[in-house]
Amino acid sequence: MPRALPTRRVPRHHLMPHRPAQRRGQAGAPPLRTSDLVLALLGVALLGGLALAAALTLAAGATAP
C-alpha cells in the first residue's frame, strides 16, 4: 500500500521569507517622524544625566564623614 506522504521532506532553500505584498489601502504603522526621534533621544539623554548625577551624589556622600 503506498504512503500518502513522503518519508522525507524536500529541502527548500529560501533566501528571504515569503511576505505578502503590502497594499496601499491597508492601514499600517504610521511613519516615524523626526520630532518623535528627537524627543526620544532627548529623554534618553536626560535620564542618563539624572542617573549620572545620582551616582555622583551617592559616591560623594559615601566618602564624606
Side-chain angles (χ1 to χ4, degrees):
M1 185 168 165
R3 303 188 97 178
L5 298 173
T7 56
R8 258 193 320 172
R9 292 188 178 196
V10 178
R12 298 174 193 231
H13 302 285
H14 294 292
L15 296 178
M16 290 182 62
H18 175 71
R19 294 183 186 161
Q22 291 183 350
R23 297 180 184 161
R24 293 179 189 228
Q26 291 180 345
L32 185 65
R33 294 183 301 192
T34 306
S35 59
D36 291 340
L37 181 63
V38 169
L39 285 175
L41 289 174
L42 182 62
V44 168
L46 287 175
L47 283 175
L50 182 63
L52 184 62
L56 288 174
T57 303
L58 288 174
T63 58

